[in-house]
Amino acid sequence: MDLDNIAVGANASIFRKVDPTSIVKIFYPSSVEEIKQAIAFARARNLKITTKGGGSGLSGCCTGGNEKRIIISNLRLKKVLEIDTTKGIARVQPGITPDELNKILPKGYRFRVAPSSRDTATLSGMISTDAGGNDAWIHGTMRDNTRSTELITATGDVLKITSDGVTCPANEKLAAELNALGFDLHDVASSHGTLGVISSLEVRISPGREAALQHGLLEFNNHNECGEAISSIIDKKLTVYYGETIIKGMETVRKKFRYKDPLIIVDIAESDVDAISNIGNYKKLGSEESEHLKQLRLDLPKMNPEHGVQSAVFEGYGFSGAILPHLGDKLDLLDEILVSSDLKPFLRYGHAPSVWYTGRNSRQEGLIMHARDIRPDMDGTTTYKIILEIIDFCKREGITPKPEHKYPYADSGKIGRLEELRKVLGESFNPFIVSSSVEDMSKLVF
Amino acid sequence: MKGDSRIDSLASKCVNCGSCLAVCPIFKARTKEYLSPRGKVYVLQRLKDLSLEKEPELMDEFTKSLFDCTLCGYCDEVCKSDVSLIDLFKKERKKAIERQLYPSLSKLIDSVKSSGNIYRMDNEERLDLWFDDLGEEFPDLSNKIYRDGKKASTGIFLGCVLSFRSGQLNIIRSILTILETIGEDYLLFGGEEFCCGHPLHLTGDVDQAEAVRNHNRTIFKDAGISKLVTNCPGCLVSFREHYNFDNIEIQHFSQFLQERWRDIEPFIDNRVISGISGENTGKKLVYHDPCELSRICGVRTEPREVLGKVARYHELEALCCGGGGLLRVTADDLASEVAKNRLIDTGGQDIVTCCPSCHEQFRSKGVRTIDIVELVAAAMKKDNKLQEM
């Protein structure tokens, strides 16, 4: 066993009990040619292929399950290939992070997708999970900020994929076949590494914000009120450039937290301040206080309780439409499930208003709530059963399970589409995403 | 590891988010997951369920990987899960000594044990190597060297690198210039100064570290000092974390300069200030934060305040030079790679810092590197010795 084979299993999801002996070789390519060589290595040995970025995602797709496979890391693929401010694009290798990209963009320009893991998450990982961030309401998710990707297939063909379709000068027949299926960028978004290796992306960059902003805070008496307010912001299409909630549990990590949850931290266009003031108990914040709260929110996914350790057992819930005003009621039901399974609800926070996509390209608007719970010593099978129970609960109650980090295992629309495409593209990449059994997934639970 | 609940507890807190990987200078240099802090903690998290302890070769490789680390503390700084990564790594490092994985480390320990310094040299050389060079400039110097019964209020602890490395001579000269100019009541410890114990602590050899600390404690007490000043951040860490002084204030030399600026300022020659701002070389002066000073000891403002009084300088992101954590002893090529990466950030400018290890690292790459004390001393004198560097 090689030490790197063990260490490469490290990732932020609960699915990190990776069997190191199932990994035949790890590649750290730094060019398209080296990616192709890695793919050829796998093809010659009939091995599966998993790509890994920063390992900050919560779907576990970077693990590749436990099939005999190679891992292709993108962490040496960090070059910026082109920046064109007139077109508003940056063309980059897949291993660059949002923080790294923003650091070198011309003054005033930003890449607008900002997940809390923006220091670690790589752009190809982000398109593979269709990551969003705290200003997704205004700027959209990764698919809305990507103009094209290049994807290398199991046969070594390099596809260029945009929202209009696919081109492949070296294999026009393959391109025609994929175009006949309507293959486009939305299919790559949230594909969880099942279609090929992303070798470059063209992402949108834009200069500073257009509107004058005010920092503010909305506080609520209860969670239903909070959900109602998010619903109103969405209905009125208010220009919330930054919208983050702290929903529950703040007192357990910050005993002297001066605000009471639930609350929403916002940066809102000054023209919409009157409108938001009518929605809830709104107060203007100074820059320093606003920054302090934003940093606190950013740190929550990594902060442990005083006793025990936080766990992302099932970290994401999407509340939209008619269920938003019943947010508190749904949270109570969820807590009942967790408590009856010996989990201790810990933190609830997230993006609101925000957007996510289900199926192939169905836009949802609402609250993306992240959850962290305290898990007792519990085996993988028991934990995974709880996960399945939570998914059933979500389906019953009209909640999107894992809206941001995605849970393809529970999105039959997306799974069906990936299966359709894999019939053409081959089934070498991350097959566990589309075909894992409960037993397979249970073994991965850490 | 087995049964070590403290290590289990530290490792279990890690949520594997990867923020540490993004800032780790070793990972940046080698890009292998097992060399990242997250990778190392993850291996610890999997020890039991993978029964790794039954694979001695793998465990040796893992223990060695813990020495592929400068202990710069950047991972600790960005960790929001309260995992004290460097604490964790230090605790695990001792196994390398137990298993004799690094002959170079065993030599280092033997050297300190037999000679009182890390270079296996006669400890009297701590003084002799530079005394002849500086004796004429500082005629009263022999009275400033500790011997039985000699007392002073301030003890100056030079440390092994400053004392033994010829490239550090001008830093000693500068320290003496400042102390003599302001009339400080001070003592150097010469051949009675032993290694501070920091390198031994980094190897995990706790017992031997304590032995040299005890010797130093005795001479500090005998000298009656109420303040101990060092220019070496590694020594500073050792004094702060392990000496448990009751009545001795510990300072880095930059802190001493900042505290005593009122006494220093009257001797500052403005003409020299403009000459040492890099204008004579056509280069800018950039400040490099030593990791052990800034991240481990939290000393960030004092060096900048002092520097700002004698030179125009530019800030740099605080990143490691590769000179810490005994990396130069265990993997000099890796240390060199980290230094090269750091020098990309500095953009070929002149570097000012305040750590002998950082100084050695950069100078070994042919980069003009100046210590803050050299700037201050040069600003106090008309015959600017900086020009020799």
Side-chain angles (χ1 to χ4, degrees):
Chain A
M1 202 170 358
D2 184 79
L3 205 51
D4 211 32
N5 283 28
I6 302 171
V8 80
N11 76 98
S13 82
I14 197 167
F15 304 108
R16 59 176 192 265
K17 205 168 177 179
V18 180
D19 174 7
T21 62
S22 65
I23 299 164
V24 175
K25 196 169 165 71
I26 304 165
F27 291 85
Y28 293 92
S30 57
S31 67
V32 169
E33 268 322 299
E34 287 178 11
I35 296 172
K36 285 183 177 177
Q37 285 165 16
I39 292 173
F41 176 93
R43 193 169 57 233
R45 291 159 183 80
N46 200 25
L47 297 168
K48 303 302 179 196
I49 302 167
T50 294
T51 50
K52 185 179 182 192
S56 59
L58 297 173
S59 76
C61 67
C62 69
T63 65
N66 274 329
E67 297 187 66
K68 283 284 176 196
R69 66 198 180 285
I70 65 160
I71 303 270
I72 301 179
S73 165
N74 69 20
L75 293 175
R76 282 187 189 162
L77 291 157
K78 286 184 174 289
K79 284 191 195 122
V80 174
L81 305 170
E82 180 190 1
I83 292 173
D84 188 334
T85 52
T86 56
K87 290 183 189 163
I89 58 112
R91 195 162 59 84
V92 296
Q93 286 189 327
I96 198 163
T97 67
D99 277 358
E100 287 166 343
L101 177 57
N102 282 325
K103 204 170 165 183
I104 54 169
L105 286 179
K107 201 175 175 188
Y109 277 79
R110 304 278 300 171
F111 167 66
R112 297 290 174 186
V113 187
S116 59
S117 55
R118 54 186 172 264
D119 57 339
T120 319
T122 65
L123 294 199
S124 69
M126 286 169 63
I127 187 71
S128 297
T129 52
D130 199 18
N134 54 44
D135 54 2
W137 175 243
I138 297 293
H139 297 292
T141 67
M142 195 63 193
R143 74 177 69 197
D144 300 310
N145 288 274
T146 305
R147 211 164 77 163
S148 71
T149 65
E150 281 192 342
L151 185 92
I152 307 181
T153 68
T155 49
D157 290 308
V158 181
L159 309 177
K160 181 168 183 179
I161 304 149
T162 67
S163 53
D164 296 327
V166 56
T167 53
C168 179
N171 191 345
E172 289 180 358
K173 185 169 169 273
L174 176 63
E177 205 173 346
L178 290 166
N179 281 323
L181 287 173
F183 184 48
D184 68 13
L185 196 61
H186 294 293
D187 291 311
V188 178
S190 197
S191 60
H192 287 74
T194 55
L195 303 178
V197 180
I198 293 168
S199 57
S200 73
L201 303 92
E202 212 174 55
V203 294
R204 295 192 166 87
I205 56 172
S206 54
R209 296 189 173 100
E210 315 75 30
L213 298 182
Q214 185 175 103
H215 307 299
L217 183 72
L218 279 164
E219 291 181 288
F220 308 98
N221 294 315
N222 58 59
H223 297 95
N224 283 347
E225 271 184 24
C226 178
E228 252 175 76
I230 295 167
S231 197
S232 297
I233 292 171
I234 290 168
D235 289 345
K236 292 178 181 173
K237 299 193 185 308
L238 299 187
T239 42
V240 175
Y241 278 84
Y242 174 100
E244 286 291 310
T245 63
I246 296 176
I247 297 171
K248 261 188 179 184
M250 199 59 210
E251 71 282 0
T252 60
V253 287
R254 281 278 184 279
K255 291 199 183 318
K256 289 181 182 169
F257 190 55
R258 56 183 286 201
Y259 300 103
K260 188 177 163 297
D261 51 42
L263 54 84
I264 307 177
I265 310 154
V266 293
D267 286 349
I268 186 162
E270 282 185 346
S271 55
D272 280 347
V273 167
D274 286 346
I276 206 167
S277 300
N278 294 327
I279 286 174
N281 180 19
Y282 176 79
K283 63 176 73 162
K284 183 181 171 181
L285 291 179
S287 301
E288 207 173 306
E289 183 66 0
S290 174
E291 279 311 308
H292 170 69
L293 280 172
K294 287 174 184 171
Q295 187 58 46
L296 201 59
R297 158 61 193 92
L298 198 63
D299 292 344
L300 285 176
K302 301 163 186 173
M303 291 166 87
N304 279 311
E306 207 170 325
H307 303 290
V309 176
Q310 66 149 286
S311 177
V313 175
F314 197 83
E315 85 296 338
Y317 303 82
F319 295 87
S320 59
I323 62 165
L324 269 171
H326 304 287
L327 176 64
D329 307 330
K330 306 290 182 195
L331 291 180
D332 290 345
L333 289 173
L334 175 63
D335 282 359
E336 276 177 31
I337 293 175
L338 298 174
V339 170
S340 70
S341 305
D342 295 329
L343 294 177
K344 191 173 171 190
F346 173 42
L347 287 171
R348 304 286 181 262
Y349 52 87
H351 316 306
S354 194
V355 299
W356 67 93
Y357 294 83
T358 55
R360 185 159 173 258
N361 187 23
S362 174
R363 182 181 162 101
Q364 314 289 325
E365 298 177 340
L367 157 69
I368 294 173
M369 187 190 81
H370 295 304
R372 292 291 191 279
D373 302 302
I374 302 167
R375 184 170 53 133
D377 202 7
M378 181 182 277
D379 64 36
T381 306
T382 311
T383 308
Y384 197 64
K385 277 183 183 163
I386 297 169
I387 291 172
L388 294 177
E389 201 179 335
I390 293 170
I391 291 170
D392 284 344
F393 159 77
C394 289
K395 285 180 177 167
R396 273 199 315 274
E397 301 296 333
I399 299 165
T400 307
K402 297 205 183 193
E404 191 179 43
H405 295 283
K406 303 303 173 295
Y407 205 55
Y409 333 108
D411 186 341
S412 54
K414 186 70 184 178
I415 289 284
R417 177 64 176 166
L418 291 174
E419 283 175 333
E420 187 182 12
L421 293 167
R422 284 163 62 85
K423 281 178 187 155
V424 177
L425 287 166
E427 299 180 343
S428 305
F429 294 94
N430 254 8
F432 89 111
I433 293 285
V434 293
S435 62
S436 278
S437 65
V438 171
E439 194 189 352
D440 291 339
M441 295 306 292
S442 301
K443 282 182 189 163
L444 282 171
V445 173
F446 190 71
Chain B
M1 163 57 57
K2 203 168 189 177
D4 190 335
S5 59
R6 169 142 172 75
I7 288 176
D8 282 349
S9 154
L10 280 174
S12 69
K13 285 182 175 178
C14 175
V15 297
N16 284 206
C17 68
S19 288
C20 56
L21 175 145
V23 300
C24 175
I26 302 298
F27 184 75
K28 187 177 179 187
R30 288 286 157 89
T31 322
K32 290 277 186 188
E33 292 248 6
Y34 81 98
L35 290 175
S36 73
R38 179 179 69 179
K40 291 168 186 172
V41 176
Y42 180 73
V43 172
L44 286 172
Q45 290 177 332
R46 300 294 309 274
L47 275 187
K48 283 179 186 164
D49 80 273
L50 291 174
S51 304
L52 297 179
E53 284 163 321
K54 291 178 184 162
E55 302 200 37
E57 282 181 18
L58 193 76
M59 288 312 295
D60 283 353
E61 198 191 338
F62 173 65
T63 304
K64 285 175 100 169
S65 78
L66 298 175
F67 282 89
D68 289 336
C69 172
T70 61
L71 297 174
C72 70
Y74 206 170
C75 52
D76 263 16
E77 189 175 289
V78 299
C79 181
K80 298 294 187 297
S81 305
D82 303 325
V83 185
S84 175
L85 290 151
I86 57 172
D87 198 18
L88 193 61
F89 298 156
K90 276 187 204 167
K91 282 177 191 300
E92 279 292 288
R93 276 182 164 208
K94 63 183 173 195
K95 290 182 179 159
I97 304 304
E98 289 164 8
R99 295 181 193 138
Q100 299 188 317
L101 297 179
Y102 282 108
S104 53
L105 287 181
S106 303
K107 274 185 194 167
L108 182 141
I109 293 168
D110 286 348
S111 171
V112 176
K113 200 173 175 180
S114 61
S115 317
N117 62 73
I118 59 175
Y119 296 111
R120 200 184 277 272
M121 290 177 77
D122 180 344
N123 211 43
E124 290 303 320
E125 299 281 304
R126 268 187 196 274
L127 182 66
D128 297 347
L129 279 176
W130 53 266
F131 190 86
D132 287 346
D133 285 315
L134 301 182
E136 278 186 29
E137 284 180 56
F138 304 97
D140 197 30
L141 192 54
S142 56
N143 285 326
K144 302 298 171 103
I145 310 300
Y146 166 80
R147 53 185 172 272
D148 283 349
K150 195 150 183 61
K151 310 280 185 194
S153 58
T154 301
I156 304 297
F157 195 93
L158 292 180
C160 293
V161 179
L162 212 55
S163 302
F164 287 101
R165 302 287 291 183
S166 58
Q168 304 278 331
L169 180 67
N170 197 53
I171 299 176
I172 300 178
R173 175 189 282 122
S174 301
I175 288 171
L176 297 177
T177 299
I178 295 165
L179 294 170
E180 289 293 327
T181 306
I182 64 172
E184 184 70 13
D185 174 28
Y186 72 97
L187 279 180
L188 302 161
F189 297 101
E192 285 300 319
E193 177 185 301
F194 278 14
C195 165
C196 67
H198 187 55
L200 299 177
H201 180 71
L202 296 183
T203 66
D205 191 337
V206 177
D207 294 341
Q208 195 53 44
E210 191 55 15
V212 288
R213 285 179 207 138
N214 279 336
H215 168 86
N216 287 330
R217 284 187 188 106
T218 304
I219 61 161
F220 296 155
K221 190 177 176 191
D222 189 56
I225 58 170
S226 56
K227 179 178 287 191
L228 181 62
V229 184
T230 182
N231 203 42
C232 173
C235 299
L236 188 74
V237 171
S238 188
F239 295 140
R240 283 190 173 196
E241 293 186 358
H242 302 292
Y243 275 69
N244 304 317
F245 291 129
D246 287 330
N247 302 310
I248 299 177
E249 183 189 0
I250 307 156
Q251 284 185 330
H252 184 258
F253 214 88
S254 62
Q255 295 177 295
F256 174 81
L257 293 174
Q258 192 248 16
E259 184 186 79
R260 301 296 300 273
W261 192 256
R262 211 177 288 175
D263 302 318
I264 295 168
E265 195 167 24
F267 300 100
I268 294 292
D269 178 344
N270 284 327
R271 286 171 299 172
V272 178
I273 293 175
S274 62
I276 58 177
S277 298
E279 290 153 8
N280 51 348
T281 62
K283 290 186 176 180
K284 291 177 184 170
L285 204 55
V286 292
Y287 177 59
H288 168 84
D289 266 305
C291 296
E292 286 180 318
L293 188 66
S294 63
R295 290 210 162 87
I296 312 296
C297 295
V299 178
R300 295 184 176 94
T301 55
E302 295 93 331
R304 287 172 168 77
E305 279 187 24
V306 174
L307 194 49
K309 292 175 195 300
V310 293
R312 282 190 296 278
Y313 72 97
H314 297 263
E315 288 283 353
L316 284 177
E317 186 184 355
L319 296 174
C320 185
C321 71
L326 300 177
L327 190 64
R328 288 190 297 174
V329 180
T330 57
D332 194 38
D333 55 336
L334 182 54
S336 178
E337 224 169 305
V338 174
K340 277 184 199 163
N341 284 339
R342 178 44 159 169
L343 288 172
I344 293 170
D345 302 318
T346 64
Q349 307 300 337
D350 291 342
I351 297 172
V352 59
T353 189
C354 45
C355 165
S357 280
C358 301
H359 193 269
E360 290 276 309
Q361 277 288 86
F362 294 135
R363 284 180 62 118
S364 71
K365 300 282 173 237
V367 176
R368 186 175 188 245
T369 309
I370 307 161
D371 194 287
I372 290 178
V373 294
E374 292 180 282
L375 286 179
V376 173
M380 296 170 96
K381 295 166 71 174
K382 290 179 183 175
D383 54 338
N384 183 354
K385 296 285 182 192
L386 273 178
Q387 287 161 6
E388 294 173 5
M389 292 186 297

